[in-house]
Amino acid sequence: MNDVEETVFDDEFEPTDAEGLEQGSKGKIKDLQGKIKALEKEKSEYLTGWQRARADYANLQKAHEEDKKRLKELFAGNILSDFIPTIDSFQMAMSNKEAWEKVDTNWRTGVEYIYNQLLSALETHGLTMFGEVGETFDPARYEAVSEEEADDESKDHRIAKVIQKGFMLGDAVIRPARVVVWKSK
């Protein structure tokens, strides 16, 4: 015979005991539900914390890369700006047309080649020269050393003469161009 079928109930079993068991089970269920809610809350807090930490790490990596890029640009800017006086010397030597024309043609061609090679190398690294006669005067890029009266209204606030070329590294002005600016009467 099966043991389950032979279950015998004591005569002392009372419905109040069943209610007590039911109340105990309900209490245990409530306790377990409370623990589940607490664990779910804890899990949610851990997940949120982990997501924040992951986002913070991604932001830190981006900031680190940007800092490296800025440092590299600053370093390049400092090195490239050291070449500006050399370019100025080349330009001063070649600007004296009378003396420049007296120099041996082969030597002059070689010096011009070296000058253009230097400019090309610096441009490869982002250093550009600016400042041409006729451009509109921009105080962020140019330093006006003097003004000349313009007889034509269209020349107003335009560059009349370039004293010294300016240099930019990317969008940043390394050295403003020194210029004479037209001013209308």
Side-chain angles (χ1 to χ4, degrees), residues 5-144:
E5 293 175 11
E6 290 184 24
T7 304
V8 178
F9 292 102
D10 290 342
D11 292 343
E12 296 177 6
F13 181 74
E14 293 181 19
T16 55
D17 288 338
E19 285 175 13
L21 272 174
E22 191 176 308
Q23 289 296 330
S25 296
K26 284 183 181 179
K28 277 189 172 185
I29 291 172
K30 282 189 177 188
D31 285 347
L32 291 174
Q33 286 175 337
K35 286 181 181 179
I36 288 171
K37 283 184 182 180
L39 290 172
E40 285 177 346
K41 182 180 177 187
E42 187 178 353
K43 177 195 79 143
S44 176
E45 289 172 0
Y46 286 143
L47 179 62
T48 301
W50 175 77
Q51 288 171 333
R52 281 192 185 131
R54 188 173 175 193
D56 288 346
Y57 182 69
N59 291 338
L60 180 66
Q61 282 182 318
K62 285 181 187 176
H64 180 68
E65 289 302 316
E66 288 173 6
D67 288 346
K68 276 178 38 179
K69 183 180 175 185
R70 275 194 296 267
L71 185 61
K72 183 178 177 183
E73 288 172 354
L74 180 64
F75 183 68
N78 286 339
I79 289 175
L80 295 175
S81 65
D82 288 345
F83 286 98
I84 292 174
T86 305
I87 295 169
D88 289 340
S89 296
F90 271 108
Q91 289 174 343
M92 284 185 345
M94 292 185 290
S95 68
N96 185 346
K97 296 291 183 193
E98 187 177 311
W100 190 245
E101 294 298 324
K102 290 180 182 177
V103 175
D104 178 56
T105 306
N106 291 331
W107 189 83
R108 189 174 60 223
T109 302
V111 170
E112 289 170 348
Y113 177 76
I114 294 168
Y115 172 72
N116 289 327
Q117 193 176 24
L118 175 63
L119 286 181
S120 178
L122 294 175
E123 285 175 5
T124 300
H125 294 284
L127 188 72
T128 56
M129 194 170 21
F130 69 92
E132 298 295 328
V133 172
E135 290 181 346
T136 303
F137 178 77
D138 177 3
R141 294 174 30 144
Y142 297 98
E143 178 185 339

